[in-house]
Amino acid sequence: MSGSRKQVLSDAIKAELGAEPADLKSLFTDDIIGWSPYVTVSGLAGLADLAALREEAFSNVVITFRGLDEVGNRAFAEWLVEADHTGPLVLSEDTVLDATGRHLVLPGVTVADFRDGKIRSFRTYFDDIALIEQIAGA
């Protein structure tokens, strides 16, 4: 895998949030584990399923990076995502938020650990209540 950890993380965030298509196998290890406020994922197949759900839920996705850095075997990204909520957003087996058509703006941070040039684990932090409030129109 060539490229800096910053570039890999940038490409991974764009792919995961549906801003750009990518070969997840070129960015993540097969045994990837990840966490965010409303989902945990384990394995490349699980990550691919999650990315597909997000692609269905959001359209017109634009990601702006406010900061992107790497230290040792870790990369950090501070980002702002804007998207339209145009499909069902699956939060859990029991919770699905139907499309609202609302334009959403959400800042967040992702921290990724690397192995052999690919992301082995990540943690994504954002205000999940702010996301739900925007979807609900609160």
Side-chain angles (χ1 to χ4, degrees):
M1 176 93 228
S2 62
S4 72
R5 289 178 180 86
K6 292 188 297 188
Q7 186 62 54
V8 172
L9 181 56
S10 171
D11 292 346
I13 290 169
K14 291 174 187 175
E16 185 190 349
L17 296 178
E20 291 181 11
D23 174 18
L24 297 180
K25 191 161 182 64
S26 70
L27 302 170
F28 299 93
T29 62
D30 289 339
D31 59 347
I32 181 70
I33 55 172
W35 174 91
S36 77
Y38 71 87
V39 70
T40 58
V41 67
S42 180
L44 197 55
L47 184 63
D49 291 345
L50 179 62
L53 289 174
R54 288 193 178 138
E55 285 180 18
E56 184 178 342
F58 302 111
S59 60
N60 303 316
V61 178
V62 176
I63 299 172
T64 304
F65 289 96
R66 295 174 162 176
L68 196 55
D69 205 355
E70 61 183 275
V71 176
N73 206 35
R74 190 170 280 164
F76 310 86
E78 181 181 2
W79 44 262
L80 177 75
V81 64
E82 295 187 55
D84 297 326
H85 179 218
T86 53
L89 176 59
V90 178
L91 298 178
S92 71
E93 289 181 17
D94 301 326
T95 308
V96 177
L97 302 176
D98 293 326
T100 62
R102 290 190 176 90
H103 184 75
L104 310 174
V105 178
L106 186 70
V109 172
T110 300
V111 179
D113 296 300
F114 283 74
R115 182 177 69 219
D116 299 328
K118 296 181 182 182
I119 298 172
R120 163 60 183 105
S121 67
F122 67 89
R123 283 119 12 242
T124 296
Y125 303 91
F126 59 86
D127 184 346
D128 54 334
I129 299 300
L131 174 63
I132 301 302
E133 286 175 343
Q134 288 181 67
I135 290 172

